């Protein structure tokens, strides 16, 4: 197509709109194919096919990217963003145009050659990171990380920024989030969590957790995970559960939202809570309104809101007393003889043990946020250029001592533990802690609007909870921003006090503070 | 791109060739994605995602088709087909150009609107066929079949034909195959098979097959199937085995060739021979030369040659006496107690029972070819317009009586039994019988070139056989035509006498004729 050809057509507004939507649907078709190809590579694609497969993924990703920045896309967006056409769009279509334009503008600002080099760099960095982590050899990874940070600083200049440079990165994962807001909420949270943690550590009432570490047959774990997913309202006609080393959820379309889990034979809780977590992500994606299928709005609105749902189901539901009051009998029957001597109260307390540790992904509900704050402080410092990449290991260890009171014995269990930076995903980590705060705040409203909340959970009736969340959050996909969701559902913007309140109540009880 | 822009570029021959190959590789990327999407839909995609998935497949197929008939493709082919450029291509690239041009010409001759209507028609016809078969109601399916035959007659006029109109359809599945050749080889085959079948039916030495029909645990069947696949040299790092209602093999790339099977709990042989059959297809695709990856030559050369490999492994190997002399002990150990009273000879004979039946996919090795000949005669008559679609049930039943001596009690087990015609796949059926003839002819050469053939099989050493086939056939993919393969490997073109000879020798022995 010639540049300008689209704008010159004599098609009506309606014809142009239909053409625009068809174009977006084609892009979604690519996304579904790419999503399936990744799912397949992680769940069981034969390894000798991976090289050719990766090229095929590259082909489709390339075609998808070309469509996203094509002249035609530019002209369609020019037409629909202009007042004359925009004013004739309904609410959903307006949001589709603004979201698509945001992506388009972001992509267009990076010169294609630079972007290509960056993709190659991060792809290489991810494999170097794997070796560096294995060998606890930060020096090996450092030059890659330096280049990745430098590239991101360059991108930020091209994209533009307001206030802190890091804001531009935060906005990619949590639209509207800024350093100012995060400093405030993380500060407030840390101020309350640190003394609470100290009190917990000083408590003589430590839960016994030994019985969690027996041997549990994989097939039985799987059956129990499937049973709980069913209870949550996960729709097995619109999803499936598979096994992977690193669990994940992937929404190909609302009728096909897959989750994976990992079974540890010596731990009764790992696969279970992992499955509930991914199940929470999946409930979100399964319940997006069918009206949004084939549009860019057919996905969760942000990483933080998405994580609020996985954490809500994992922690606020799965690690709650009413939940175990109801389901503990099922668990006991699932593993005959293995929990005969364990009371439901002991099991509940063990499943909520708080213990500062080195590894984020193994952290408990309370200390998890401190792991995130360490990463947040480091990312902020990197993008205000107040710390050098070379100094990260030292800074990391110092922050861990300060926030968690533990010190890594090597960089493999320290600064090299997460893959995120190797992939250039700066600004992503805060989503995890935001998810916890959102989840507590949403839970408070949920309790008000479903007054029998504890009784519902305590009688194994989780469906009304899923339906309330679908009604208030899930159905909207990306139609509402995170701030709109929070304001419309809870009546106020993000407020860390609800998480603090939830922690205090829960852990004062468990640790008899 | 403007029409003509490609030919006008000042790019060198080498640059143009690289661009052409990149273009073909992109198309292969689409094919891999589409192949995976189909595999996934058949092996376990959640049913509520199927509608959106089908649209995504439609999107990718549409883009792939557009590339295959684009102006750019036309211009690239124009450039490379012309003597100046063609003479500079090596053997592989020449074949790539001629194969691609053949496809291009075929696609361009059908007006896009007509093609679209045909896709809708056959897609609708397939679901109508399913209901019609279920209800044994030919009248329901007949109008669709009439339209599909009419559309194919129209396509044949557009494509052109030499001799019989049906030749054009045959050529799509078996390049170079004609009615004249098929009449000759099928005639010769039928002339010998019919009296052999009569002799077998008259023989008092019928194998006892009762012991094949005990109860066999699925997991044990699966383990044994996996074991035999491994023995054949199927590479599990380049493939996997899954379960489906209708078994199939799909080559996404030579490093990822998947097969599926179906386990019947009351039949020890069904899944086993089904797996060996699909495994034969898979060996072909796994062993195509890596040089051909990303090109249109990276697939089997024809349906007939492909089928020769599945049938070779299933029948010439899997249903042979030396094979069972070696593996029967493994089978007995796999199902403890279930074959204690059964000798290897009895098992071998039972696995080779010959019995005329109504259903093609359940037919034995000998009578299978007669089922194919019935379909061939009918297709030939349809495209010489010497029979009306309305008369097919009667013609079908008459041919079954004549060729196999059995008569369907309804059209569900008669003319409606196969899905092929609903999908418009006329010309496909002969491939199955061609596969049998090719397989016997290839086996004869193989026996000459590997003189210890029987000893190898009889000692469970199947790898040299796989390697010989890889060397002679598999590695070439579509680089050689079926006729070239047969001539270069066996020294002559297709000759039905080898299959006749193989049948006579095998069944005279089994039935003591």
């Amino acid at each position: 197509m010639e540049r300008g050809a689209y704008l010159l057509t004599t098609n009506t507004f309606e014809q142009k709109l239909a053409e625009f939507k068809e174009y977006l649907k084609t892009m979604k078709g690519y996304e579904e194919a790419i999503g399936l190809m990744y799912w397949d590579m992680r769940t069981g694609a034969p390894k000798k096919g991976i090289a050719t497969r990766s090229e095929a993924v590259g082909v489709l990703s390339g075609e998808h990217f070309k469509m996203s920045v094509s002249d035609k896309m530019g002209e369609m967006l020019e037409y629909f963003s202009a007042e004359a056409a925009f004013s004739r769009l309904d609410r959903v279509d307006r949001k589709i145009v603004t979201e698509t334009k945001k992506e388009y503008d972001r992509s267009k600002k990076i010169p294609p050659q630079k972007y290509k080099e960056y993709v190659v760099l991060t792809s290489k960095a991810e494999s170097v990171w794997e070796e560096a982590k294995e060998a606890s050899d930060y020096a090996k990874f450092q030059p890659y990380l330096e280049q990745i940070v430098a590239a991101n600083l360059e991108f930020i200049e091209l994209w533009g920024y307001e206030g802190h440079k890091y804001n531009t990165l935060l906005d990619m994962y949590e639209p509207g989030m800024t350093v100012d807001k995060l400093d405030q909420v993380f500060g407030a949270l840390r101020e309350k969590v640190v003394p609470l943690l100290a009190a917990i550590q000083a408590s003589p009432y430590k839960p016994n957790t030994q019985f969690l570490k027996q041997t549990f047959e994989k097939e039985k774990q799987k059956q129990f995970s499937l049973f709980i997913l069913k209870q949550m309202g996960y729709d097995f006609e619109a999803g499936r559960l598979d096994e992977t080393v690193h669990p994940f959820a992937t929404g190909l379309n609302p009728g096909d939202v897959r989750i994976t889990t990992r079974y540890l034979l010596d731990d009764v809780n790992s696969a279970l809570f992992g499955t509930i977590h991914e199940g929470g992500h999946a409930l979100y994606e399964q319940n997006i309104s069918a009206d949004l299928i084939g549009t860019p709005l057919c996905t969760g609105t942000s990483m933080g809101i998405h994580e609020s749902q996985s954490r809500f189901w994992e922690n606020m539901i799965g690690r709650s007393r009413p939940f175990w009051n109801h389901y503990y009998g099922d668990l006991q029957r699932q593993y005959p003889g293995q929990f005969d001597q364990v009371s439901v109260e002991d099991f509940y307390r063990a499943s909520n043990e708080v213990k500062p540790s080195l590894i984020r992904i193994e952290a408990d509900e309370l200390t998890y946020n401190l792991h995130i704050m360490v990463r947040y402080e480091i990312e902020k410092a990197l993008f205000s250029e107040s710390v050098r990449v070379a100094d990260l290991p030292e800074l990391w260890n110092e922050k861990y001592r300060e926030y968690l009171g533990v010190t890594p014995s090597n960089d493999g269990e320290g600064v090299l533990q997460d893959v995120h930076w190797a992939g250039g995903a700066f600004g992503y980590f805060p989503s995890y802690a935001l998810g916890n705060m959102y989840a507590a705040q949403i839970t408070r409203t949920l309790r008000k609007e479903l007054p029998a909340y504890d009784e519902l959970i305590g009688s194994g009736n989780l469906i009304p909870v899923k339906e309330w969340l679908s009604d208030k959050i899930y159905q909207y996909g990306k139609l509402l921003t995170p701030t709109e969701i929070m304001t419309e559902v809870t009546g106020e913007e993000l407020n860390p006090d609800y998480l603090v309140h939830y922690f205090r109540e829960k852990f004062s009880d468990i640790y008899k503070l």
Side-chain angles (χ1 to χ4, degrees), chain A residues 192-202 354 356 366-367 370 403-404:
Chain A
K192 307 291 169 48
V193 163
V194 169
L196 180 59
L197 177 57
I200 288 169
Q201 291 189 278
V354 171
L366 183 76
T367 62
L370 301 170
Y403 285 35
L404 284 138

Side-chain angles (χ1 to χ4, degrees), chain A residues 28 104 135 240 281 285 293 351 445 463 470 484 495 501:
Chain A
K28 267 285 176 186
Y104 172 82
R240 50 184 281 172
H281 282 303
E285 299 275 332
I293 290 176
S351 299
T445 306
I463 302 301
S470 296
E484 283 167 347
N495 179 342
H501 180 79

Side-chain angles (χ1 to χ4, degrees), chain A residues 5 23 75 116 200-201 261 308 313 338 373 410 453 493:
Chain A
Y23 193 91
E75 291 169 22
K116 234 179 193 168
I200 288 169
Q201 291 189 278
T261 198
S308 80
W313 285 97
Q338 295 190 266
M373 290 178 208
N410 61 57
Y453 176 82
E493 288 194 24

Side-chain angles (χ1 to χ4, degrees), chain A residues 155-223:
Chain A
F155 293 167
I156 292 169
E157 292 298 335
L158 293 166
W159 284 324
Y161 60 95
E162 281 176 42
H164 201 293
K165 285 184 181 176
Y166 184 47
N167 287 347
T168 294
L169 303 177
L170 287 171
D171 185 76
M172 287 172 62
Y173 301 98
E174 200 64 18
M177 191 47 64
T178 63
V179 164
D180 284 349
K181 277 194 213 173
L182 278 182
D183 279 347
Q184 183 238 313
V185 295
F186 281 175
L189 186 60
R190 190 172 157 236
E191 194 187 314
K192 307 291 169 48
V193 163
V194 169
L196 180 59
L197 177 57
I200 288 169
Q201 291 189 278
S203 167
Y205 299 100
K206 299 277 191 283
N208 171 14
T209 60
Q210 237 180 334
F211 48 79
L212 300 177
K213 303 284 172 185
Q214 308 172 59
T215 298
F216 304 98
E217 264 177 48
K218 185 159 118 178
E219 191 52 33
K220 285 189 177 174
Q221 290 197 45
K222 184 174 166 189
Q223 290 312 322

Side-chain angles (χ1 to χ4, degrees), chain A residues 39 43 221-223 225-227 229 234 236 239-243 248 257-263 271 274-275 278:
Chain A
W39 172 85
T43 53
Q221 290 197 45
K222 184 174 166 189
Q223 290 312 322
S225 294
L226 291 170
F227 166 67
L229 280 174
Y234 177 82
F236 281 95
R240 50 184 281 172
L241 175 66
D242 293 270
E243 204 179 332
F248 66 97
V257 184
R258 306 177 180 200
I259 60 182
T260 72
T261 198
R262 180 176 65 144
Y263 302 99
T275 306
E278 302 305 336

Side-chain angles (χ1 to χ4, degrees), chain A residues 41-61:
Chain A
M41 284 201 273
R42 294 172 75 175
T43 53
K47 72 177 199 184
K48 288 186 182 167
I50 296 295
T52 308
R53 169 66 60 82
S54 300
E55 291 196 33
V57 169
V59 161
L60 294 199
S61 303

